[in-house]
Amino acid sequence: MEALAVRLSGLDPYVDGAMRIVAFYDTLMRRRVDLPALGRASAALAECVVGLRLHGTGRVVRVAPDGRPAPALPAPASTTVPITLDEEEIGTVWLERPGPAGPLDELLLDRLALAAAGVVERYGPARTTMADPALVELAISADADEADRARALRLLGFAAGVPVRVLAVRSPLPLDRVGTLVCPAGPVKAALVGDVGVVLATALDPARLPADARAGIGAAGGPDRSWRQARAALRFTGPREPVVHYADLGALALLAELPEEAVRDNPDVAAIARLAADPHDLETLDAYCATGSLRRAAEILHLHHSSVSRRLEHIGRSLGMDLTAPGGPLRARLALTAWRLLADAPSPTA
């Protein structure tokens, strides 16, 4: 950017150059240019390749200084700045300048990011992923009447009559990024309801969820019903099964409908709660219930099958049940699942 600073220089090359960059982008914004035009103007000003990417759609604009599309093989970014809208990061802009960054590069990108956010807000549908939690709660509430629900969905950017699916998620990744990952192309909205992230979308790709996330997925249809299913499915997730589709639960979903007090007072569930004081015993029982096989459980635990057999004998005595009997593993699995559901019982607002 040294050449730019000299070209725009007055008494103070940096200050004069900075002021001219600000005025340059103010003019572009008044002219209501689109993203390609914004990229072309920026590349000419910066005298290097300029790039712009929107997270939600995956759209990328890369322009060379002559106004033509940049070569397919990008150079490393010399300077990068996020595009933010409504306090959400919706994309990135960058310069591909050979050699070190110039003194005005960051300012240029700051103004480019502001202008790009303005373009997206003006022309882009469903501008951001994060939504007003009150609207999301109205859309998924079982108590809302259909007219209010339809209005909430319309305000969230969903077309009338299009089935909306709901995902209930817990993830260390920001919720807006989770939303754009699982629905990179279609309308998607997200909000935190209670302690659970809610993602509404017309289509979901669970395979794109981050590895450390846990998610329950409801079926397509009414968002209120899909939310209840997704919230229930989330309760069945665990380290071995971080993503659960409600439709795959079958009769197991009935466990989520049982009164908490009845589950807590069940002798088998109470025995599992006591067993949980020893994580190794709990892990052994979980592996055995998940596989139904002593040898396969030993493979998962990286132990000899004789060691797992001895552990299961001890666990069976602690639980007061014979885990080798025909109904033993099923009984233990039901108790283990019911105990886990207690730990993730939804609050009244969720």
Side-chain angles (χ1 to χ4, degrees):
M1 186 63 73
E2 285 83 355
L4 172 65
V6 171
R7 190 171 70 248
L8 299 178
S9 65
L11 294 177
D12 187 323
Y14 179 85
V15 172
D16 191 47
M19 292 178 64
R20 290 176 183 266
I21 288 175
V22 171
F24 178 84
Y25 281 102
D26 285 348
T27 300
L28 289 178
M29 294 173 73
R30 284 197 300 271
R31 291 177 179 175
R32 305 170 74 86
V33 298
D34 59 11
L35 290 179
L38 187 59
R40 289 192 297 270
S42 299
L45 179 64
E47 297 182 339
C48 69
V49 172
V50 168
L52 182 153
R53 185 183 189 281
L54 298 181
H55 297 325
T57 61
R59 183 182 182 185
V60 176
V61 174
R62 289 180 62 248
V63 187
D66 61 4
R68 298 179 182 179
L73 191 61
S78 57
T79 312
T80 303
V81 169
I83 305 170
T84 59
L85 181 60
D86 296 338
E87 299 183 357
E88 176 187 337
E89 183 179 329
I90 64 169
T92 307
V93 291
W94 67 90
L95 298 181
E96 298 175 21
R97 183 181 301 287
L104 294 173
D105 280 2
E106 190 168 348
L107 173 63
L108 187 150
L109 284 183
D110 283 339
R111 300 304 298 182
L112 172 56
L114 285 172
V119 172
V120 172
E121 186 172 30
R122 186 181 306 120
Y123 298 115
R127 298 185 298 272
T128 57
T129 300
M130 295 304 292
D132 182 349
L135 278 179
V136 172
E137 286 196 62
L138 184 58
I140 65 176
S141 172
D143 299 326
D145 61 48
E146 291 308 310
D148 288 340
R149 192 188 321 282
R151 179 176 179 274
L153 289 172
R154 185 171 66 253
L155 291 173
L156 288 168
F158 295 100
V162 177
V164 175
R165 298 188 70 181
V166 182
L167 179 145
V169 63
R170 287 195 175 99
S171 171
L173 197 68
L175 195 54
D176 61 295
R177 296 293 294 125
V178 173
T180 54
L181 280 173
V182 299
C183 187
V188 58
K189 289 293 181 180
L192 195 64
V193 175
D195 62 343
V196 179
V198 183
V199 177
L200 294 88
T202 53
L204 292 168
D205 184 359
R208 294 172 59 88
L209 278 164
D212 48 1
R214 293 193 185 186
I217 302 173
D224 54 331
R225 182 182 180 189
S226 187
W227 162 244
R228 291 196 301 273
Q229 294 174 347
R231 184 65 184 88
L234 178 64
R235 297 174 64 194
F236 285 87
T237 61
R240 300 188 194 284
E241 196 171 9
V243 180
V244 173
H245 291 258
Y246 182 86
D248 294 337
L249 289 173
L252 280 176
L254 295 174
L255 290 176
E257 306 296 329
L258 296 175
E260 287 184 44
E261 186 176 352
V263 174
R264 202 178 304 276
D265 290 343
N266 181 270
D268 284 356
V269 176
I272 293 290
R274 293 191 296 270
L275 183 74
D278 189 328
H280 296 296
D281 283 350
L282 194 66
E283 184 183 22
T284 301
L285 180 63
D286 181 41
Y288 181 61
C289 290
T291 62
S293 163
L294 185 66
R295 291 188 178 275
R296 289 175 61 193
E299 291 174 2
I300 291 174
L301 298 169
H302 304 291
L303 295 171
H304 193 273
H305 65 87
S306 61
S307 298
V308 175
S309 178
R310 287 193 296 272
R311 280 194 187 184
L312 288 174
E313 289 179 9
H314 164 72
I315 291 170
R317 289 194 298 271
S318 299
L319 297 177
M321 63 179 74
D322 184 358
L323 296 176
T324 62
L330 176 60
R331 179 179 167 185
R333 184 185 179 192
L334 287 174
L336 183 60
T337 302
W339 172 75
R340 283 181 171 152
L341 290 177
L342 282 177
D344 193 25
S347 66
T349 58

